[in-house]
Amino acid sequence: MTEHKKFIPAKDGLTNICVYCGSGVGRNAAYVAAARTLGQELAHAGIGLVYGGGSLGLMGEVAKAALKDGGRVTGIIPSFLSEKERMLRDVTELLVVDDMHQRKMTMFKRADAFVALPGGIGTLEELVEQLTWSQLGQHDKPIVLANIDGFWSPFLTLLNHMRDETFIRPGLDFSFYVVDDAERILPTIREHFSPRTKADDESVAAKF
Protein backbone atom coordinates (compact mmCIF):
# COMPACT_ATOMS: atom_id res chain seq x y z
CA MET A 1 0.00 0.00 0.00
CA THR A 2 1.19 3.47 -0.86
CA GLU A 3 2.39 5.52 2.11
CA HIS A 4 -0.17 8.28 2.63
CA LYS A 5 0.47 11.81 3.77
CA LYS A 6 -1.05 12.76 7.10
CA PHE A 7 -4.82 13.13 6.81
CA ILE A 8 -6.29 15.92 8.93
CA PRO A 9 -10.11 15.60 9.13
CA ALA A 10 -12.27 18.63 8.48
CA LYS A 11 -13.68 20.26 11.62
CA ASP A 12 -17.12 21.24 10.32
CA GLY A 13 -18.67 17.78 10.57
CA LEU A 14 -18.35 17.09 6.85
CA THR A 15 -16.74 13.66 7.00
CA ASN A 16 -17.25 11.88 3.67
CA ILE A 17 -18.52 12.75 0.21
CA CYS A 18 -19.77 10.05 -2.14
CA VAL A 19 -18.74 10.51 -5.76
CA TYR A 20 -20.58 8.77 -8.58
CA CYS A 21 -18.73 8.65 -11.89
CA GLY A 22 -17.87 6.53 -14.88
CA SER A 23 -15.64 3.46 -15.10
CA GLY A 24 -14.45 5.00 -18.39
CA VAL A 25 -12.77 8.36 -18.90
CA GLY A 26 -15.00 9.63 -21.72
CA ARG A 27 -13.84 11.52 -24.81
CA ASN A 28 -13.33 14.90 -23.18
CA ALA A 29 -10.11 15.50 -21.24
CA ALA A 30 -12.02 17.95 -19.04
CA TYR A 31 -13.73 15.00 -17.32
CA VAL A 32 -10.44 13.52 -16.14
CA ALA A 33 -9.20 16.94 -15.07
CA ALA A 34 -12.37 17.47 -13.02
CA ALA A 35 -12.07 14.06 -11.35
CA ARG A 36 -8.45 14.72 -10.40
CA THR A 37 -9.26 18.20 -9.12
CA LEU A 38 -12.08 16.89 -6.95
CA GLY A 39 -9.89 14.12 -5.52
CA GLN A 40 -7.15 16.59 -4.64
CA GLU A 41 -9.55 19.07 -3.09
CA LEU A 42 -11.19 16.40 -0.93
CA ALA A 43 -7.76 15.41 0.37
CA HIS A 44 -6.72 18.99 1.06
CA ALA A 45 -10.03 19.72 2.82
CA GLY A 46 -9.77 16.68 5.10
CA ILE A 47 -12.91 15.09 3.66
CA GLY A 48 -13.02 11.39 2.88
CA LEU A 49 -13.96 10.04 -0.54
CA VAL A 50 -16.55 7.28 -0.77
CA TYR A 51 -16.76 5.77 -4.24
CA GLY A 52 -17.36 2.59 -6.22
CA GLY A 53 -14.02 0.93 -5.54
CA GLY A 54 -12.73 0.56 -9.10
CA SER A 55 -9.36 1.57 -10.54
CA LEU A 56 -10.60 2.31 -14.06
CA GLY A 57 -11.93 5.48 -15.64
CA LEU A 58 -13.01 8.52 -13.67
CA MET A 59 -13.50 6.30 -10.61
CA GLY A 60 -9.81 5.49 -10.61
CA GLU A 61 -8.81 9.07 -11.37
CA VAL A 62 -10.68 10.64 -8.45
CA ALA A 63 -9.51 7.95 -6.00
CA LYS A 64 -5.87 8.01 -7.05
CA ALA A 65 -5.76 11.82 -6.96
CA ALA A 66 -7.16 11.81 -3.43
CA LEU A 67 -4.69 9.17 -2.27
CA LYS A 68 -1.75 10.93 -3.90
CA ASP A 69 -2.49 14.06 -1.88
CA GLY A 70 -2.97 12.23 1.41
CA GLY A 71 -6.71 11.70 1.25
CA ARG A 72 -8.83 9.03 2.89
CA VAL A 73 -10.58 6.80 0.37
CA THR A 74 -13.26 4.20 0.99
CA GLY A 75 -13.98 1.90 -1.94
CA ILE A 76 -17.24 -0.06 -1.95
CA ILE A 77 -17.59 -2.71 -4.63
CA PRO A 78 -19.73 -5.83 -5.17
CA SER A 79 -17.70 -9.02 -5.41
CA PHE A 80 -18.94 -9.72 -8.96
CA LEU A 81 -17.45 -6.42 -10.18
CA SER A 82 -14.07 -6.76 -8.48
CA GLU A 83 -12.41 -8.02 -11.68
CA LYS A 84 -14.48 -6.13 -14.26
CA GLU A 85 -13.84 -2.75 -12.64
CA ARG A 86 -10.33 -3.79 -11.51
CA MET A 87 -10.83 -3.18 -7.82
CA LEU A 88 -8.40 -0.59 -6.46
CA ARG A 89 -6.73 -2.26 -3.50
CA ASP A 90 -4.50 0.68 -2.59
CA VAL A 91 -7.22 2.53 -0.69
CA THR A 92 -7.68 3.42 2.96
CA GLU A 93 -10.64 1.09 3.36
CA LEU A 94 -12.00 -1.46 0.90
CA LEU A 95 -15.44 -2.99 1.41
CA VAL A 96 -16.42 -5.92 -0.81
CA VAL A 97 -20.19 -6.33 -0.56
CA ASP A 98 -22.68 -8.87 -1.86
CA ASP A 99 -24.65 -6.90 -4.44
CA MET A 100 -25.44 -3.49 -5.93
CA HIS A 101 -28.18 -2.72 -3.41
CA GLN A 102 -25.79 -3.27 -0.52
CA ARG A 103 -23.16 -1.16 -2.26
CA LYS A 104 -25.53 1.78 -2.73
CA MET A 105 -26.93 1.59 0.79
CA THR A 106 -23.44 1.45 2.28
CA MET A 107 -22.44 4.47 0.20
CA PHE A 108 -25.51 6.31 1.46
CA LYS A 109 -24.77 5.54 5.10
CA ARG A 110 -21.13 6.59 4.79
CA ALA A 111 -21.74 9.86 2.90
CA ASP A 112 -22.68 13.36 4.02
CA ALA A 113 -23.23 14.53 0.44
CA PHE A 114 -23.25 13.21 -3.12
CA VAL A 115 -21.51 14.35 -6.31
CA ALA A 116 -22.20 13.12 -9.83
CA LEU A 117 -19.33 13.55 -12.26
CA PRO A 118 -19.76 12.44 -15.89
CA GLY A 119 -20.57 8.76 -16.29
CA GLY A 120 -22.83 6.19 -17.85
CA ILE A 121 -26.02 4.32 -16.95
CA GLY A 122 -24.68 3.25 -13.55
CA THR A 123 -23.78 6.81 -12.61
CA LEU A 124 -27.17 8.05 -13.79
CA GLU A 125 -28.99 5.34 -11.85
CA GLU A 126 -27.14 6.17 -8.63
CA LEU A 127 -27.78 9.88 -9.08
CA VAL A 128 -31.47 9.42 -9.81
CA GLU A 129 -31.88 7.16 -6.79
CA GLN A 130 -30.57 9.90 -4.50
CA LEU A 131 -32.81 12.46 -6.21
CA THR A 132 -35.77 10.13 -5.71
CA TRP A 133 -34.99 9.66 -2.02
CA SER A 134 -34.74 13.44 -1.71
CA GLN A 135 -38.08 13.83 -3.50
CA LEU A 136 -39.67 11.36 -1.08
CA GLY A 137 -38.29 13.25 1.90
CA GLN A 138 -35.97 10.44 2.94
CA HIS A 139 -32.87 12.62 3.19
CA ASP A 140 -31.69 16.20 2.79
CA LYS A 141 -28.01 15.57 2.09
CA PRO A 142 -26.61 17.90 -0.59
CA ILE A 143 -26.55 16.49 -4.13
CA VAL A 144 -24.26 18.22 -6.61
CA LEU A 145 -24.33 17.68 -10.35
CA ALA A 146 -20.92 18.49 -11.84
CA ASN A 147 -21.98 19.65 -15.30
CA ILE A 148 -18.47 19.55 -16.77
CA ASP A 149 -18.48 21.00 -20.28
CA GLY A 150 -22.26 20.60 -20.33
CA PHE A 151 -22.19 16.82 -19.86
CA TRP A 152 -25.38 16.76 -17.78
CA SER A 153 -27.24 19.42 -19.80
CA PRO A 154 -29.43 16.86 -21.66
CA PHE A 155 -30.44 15.40 -18.29
CA LEU A 156 -31.34 18.85 -16.98
CA THR A 157 -33.42 19.41 -20.12
CA LEU A 158 -35.24 16.14 -19.44
CA LEU A 159 -36.02 17.20 -15.86
CA ASN A 160 -37.45 20.48 -17.16
CA HIS A 161 -39.56 18.52 -19.66
CA MET A 162 -40.88 16.37 -16.79
CA ARG A 163 -41.82 19.54 -14.92
CA ASP A 164 -43.51 20.99 -18.00
CA GLU A 165 -45.53 17.79 -18.35
CA THR A 166 -46.41 17.98 -14.60
CA PHE A 167 -44.78 14.68 -13.67
CA ILE A 168 -42.58 16.75 -11.37
CA ARG A 169 -45.00 19.14 -9.70
CA PRO A 170 -45.19 21.22 -6.53
CA GLY A 171 -44.84 18.94 -3.54
CA LEU A 172 -42.90 16.38 -5.58
CA ASP A 173 -39.82 18.46 -6.29
CA PHE A 174 -36.34 17.72 -4.98
CA SER A 175 -33.21 19.63 -4.16
CA PHE A 176 -29.91 19.47 -6.03
CA TYR A 177 -27.24 21.93 -7.13
CA VAL A 178 -25.51 22.32 -10.48
CA VAL A 179 -21.92 23.51 -10.86
CA ASP A 180 -19.93 23.92 -14.04
CA ASP A 181 -16.44 23.29 -12.71
CA ALA A 182 -14.86 21.02 -10.12
CA GLU A 183 -13.60 23.91 -7.98
CA ARG A 184 -17.20 24.84 -7.13
CA ILE A 185 -18.20 21.41 -5.81
CA LEU A 186 -16.91 21.64 -2.22
CA PRO A 187 -17.99 25.27 -1.64
CA THR A 188 -21.48 24.38 -2.86
CA ILE A 189 -21.70 21.36 -0.57
CA ARG A 190 -20.45 23.33 2.42
CA GLU A 191 -23.01 26.05 1.75
CA HIS A 192 -25.87 23.56 2.01
CA PHE A 193 -24.51 20.97 4.45
CA SER A 194 -25.93 20.39 7.91
CA PRO A 195 -24.55 17.66 10.23
CA ARG A 196 -26.58 14.48 10.66
CA THR A 197 -26.50 11.69 13.19
CA LYS A 198 -25.95 8.01 12.51
CA ALA A 199 -29.52 7.43 13.69
CA ASP A 200 -30.79 9.69 10.90
CA ASP A 201 -29.21 7.48 8.24
CA GLU A 202 -30.23 4.25 9.96
CA SER A 203 -33.85 5.40 9.96
CA VAL A 204 -33.68 5.93 6.19
CA ALA A 205 -31.94 2.62 5.54
CA ALA A 206 -34.59 0.75 7.51
CA LYS A 207 -37.25 1.83 5.01
CA PHE A 208 -35.60 0.10 2.03
Side-chain angles (χ1 to χ4, degrees):
M1 180 175 285
T2 300
E3 182 179 351
H4 302 310
K5 301 174 185 176
K6 184 175 178 60
F7 180 78
I8 303 174
K11 297 180 180 180
D12 58 1
L14 190 54
T15 304
N16 293 307
I17 291 175
C18 177
V19 177
Y20 303 131
C21 56
S23 58
V25 295
R27 297 192 301 175
N28 189 335
Y31 306 154
V32 170
R36 290 174 178 170
T37 294
L38 179 56
Q40 291 165 357
E41 294 202 347
L42 288 172
H44 297 166
I47 299 169
L49 165 67
V50 173
Y51 87 116
S55 65
L56 301 177
L58 299 187
M59 284 201 298
E61 295 291 344
V62 68
K64 291 170 188 175
L67 290 170
K68 183 178 179 181
D69 277 35
R72 183 184 64 218
V73 177
T74 300
I76 304 171
I77 191 168
S79 55
F80 76 93
L81 283 179
S82 59
E83 293 299 324
K84 186 175 182 179
E85 292 185 351
R86 297 186 191 174
M87 183 169 61
L88 183 62
R89 299 182 183 277
D90 190 17
V91 293
T92 314
E93 182 181 15
L94 180 61
L95 302 176
V96 180
V97 297
D98 295 331
D99 52 40
M100 293 295 288
H101 179 78
Q102 189 178 1
R103 177 200 227 180
K104 290 185 291 181
M105 186 55 67
T106 305
M107 284 176 157
F108 175 81
K109 290 180 180 179
R110 293 290 186 104
D112 299 308
F114 305 93
V115 175
L117 291 173
I121 291 295
T123 302
L124 178 62
E125 189 265 344
E126 290 166 327
L127 166 64
V128 169
E129 183 167 60
Q130 292 307 330
L131 293 175
T132 302
W133 289 9
S134 172
Q135 184 183 49
L136 296 175
Q138 299 302 297
H139 78 87
D140 59 359
K141 299 178 181 183
I143 303 169
V144 173
L145 205 57
N147 193 27
I148 309 302
D149 267 12
F151 178 83
W152 290 109
S153 293
F155 175 67
L156 295 172
T157 298
L158 176 60
L159 291 181
N160 286 331
H161 176 62
M162 290 175 176
R163 289 189 182 93
D164 291 342
E165 295 298 322
T166 72
F167 289 107
I168 300 174
R169 54 193 183 274
L172 289 178
D173 217 328
F174 42 87
S175 177
F176 69 102
Y177 310 98
V178 181
V179 300
D180 294 327
D181 59 79
E183 289 83 1
R184 288 295 308 153
I185 294 173
L186 285 186
T188 301
I189 288 173
R190 282 201 157 110
E191 182 180 351
H192 300 282
F193 168 72
S194 58
R196 298 173 57 87
T197 67
K198 183 178 180 181
D200 292 331
D201 291 341
E202 291 295 342
S203 68
V204 173
K207 297 175 183 177
F208 292 89

